[in-house]
Amino acid sequence: MGNQVDKMKLSHQSYAEVPTVDPNGLDTEEGPRIGVSYIFSTDDEEQEGDNSNVDGADREPHAGTEQKHYDKSNEVECAVYHREECIYEKSVKTADMETYSPEILLNKCKAGDLVEFVTTGQCPHWAVYVGDFQVVHLHRAEIKNSFLTDASQGRRCRIVNELYKFKALSADMVVQNAMEQVGAKDRELSWRNAECFAAWCRFGKREFKMGGEIKIGKQPYRLKILMSDKQSHMLEFQSLEDLIMEKRRNNQLGRTSVVQELANHLNSVWEIKSDPLSDPITAQTAQ
């Protein structure tokens, strides 16, 4: 199903190991940007235990699921641009980013909605609501049809139809896209994570698939991370898929850790640039 590519883990674990072009890294109207095209870690959201399969005989009742901790203030706010067009924007200050228990969210969901499950310290998990209290989602390298309350696994959830700015397909087509993939697994899959799968179902864009874009030439995608009300940091990527992987890594770390990581990285780069011994010409003069 779709394009097949080999998955690759990169050795970079943090921004400190990434080559950059400028030590300041602050995003002003015309200021410099740090450009990267690295994925620091694999998307490990699928490592959670699975009790969510509708047809699974060993499914545990959702009523006994322990509620997981979620801190809204630690969410990473960001925006995604393709060239000059904003195609994704997340601000936790907006009303539509409110989270609910799975039972309450069921009263708000309509077929074709995108649902995001969130908890502190984990990548967000995305699913497509298909009606009858059920979702379709990519979980542990398989597309599954699950009850929403089971798929939540104790996480808070919300409808996220408006995060991506693409024009959505009809609700019937979104549900059809999702249901047609149920049962696909391992090498049959064309998506690296649950967010890419769910977004593809709703918007139908090949950019959400593995290998959906040719990675040559200039990096057309930019991820703008809001560090504070006055500071932001821009990263560049050659594909939307790569950008989403990095965005999800940031979501897993949380705002506090991401801001600290960026600050440490920018400070270390500045120290290297400022060290006289790092400049051969200056070093000779000092002798």
Side-chain angles (χ1 to χ4, degrees), residues 206-218:
R206 67 180 182 179
E207 289 87 346
F208 290 109
K209 287 188 171 185
M210 290 190 292
E213 297 177 276
I214 299 176
K215 301 180 183 180
I216 59 175
K218 187 177 179 180

Side-chain angles (χ1 to χ4, degrees), residues 29-161:
E29 289 298 322
E30 298 180 350
R33 298 192 303 268
I34 290 180
V36 302
S37 185
Y38 295 86
I39 306 303
F40 302 125
S41 63
T42 56
D43 192 339
D44 59 358
E45 65 159 321
E46 316 304 345
Q47 294 179 2
E48 295 299 306
D50 178 22
N51 302 316
S52 59
N53 204 354
V54 167
D55 298 320
D58 58 347
R59 177 172 57 84
E60 296 179 5
H62 65 82
T65 303
E66 180 181 355
Q67 295 299 306
K68 297 181 179 178
H69 175 67
Y70 164 68
D71 181 5
K72 181 178 180 179
S73 66
N74 201 36
E75 284 206 61
V76 178
E77 296 184 294
C78 64
V80 175
Y81 297 86
H82 180 249
R83 305 194 190 283
E84 300 304 319
E85 178 186 6
C86 180
I87 61 174
Y88 173 102
E89 188 171 18
K90 177 171 131 180
S91 172
V92 297
K93 300 179 181 66
T94 57
D96 57 0
M97 294 302 289
E98 187 67 33
T99 61
Y100 305 91
S101 68
E103 292 78 11
I104 292 178
L105 193 74
L106 279 173
N107 296 322
K108 300 176 178 291
C109 281
K110 301 184 299 293
D113 282 347
L114 296 184
V115 177
E116 181 183 49
F117 303 99
V118 292
T119 188
T120 300
Q122 291 183 10
C123 290
H125 187 70
W126 285 45
V128 178
Y129 186 72
V130 295
D132 295 329
F133 312 112
Q134 298 176 28
V135 296
V136 172
H137 58 139
L138 172 56
H139 183 65
R140 300 186 67 167
E142 182 177 354
I143 306 296
K144 299 180 179 181
N145 184 197
S146 312
F147 290 112
L148 185 148
T149 47
D150 294 326
S152 73
Q153 296 186 354
R155 294 170 286 200
R156 303 280 292 178
C157 45
R158 59 192 170 205
I159 297 171
V160 289
N161 294 337

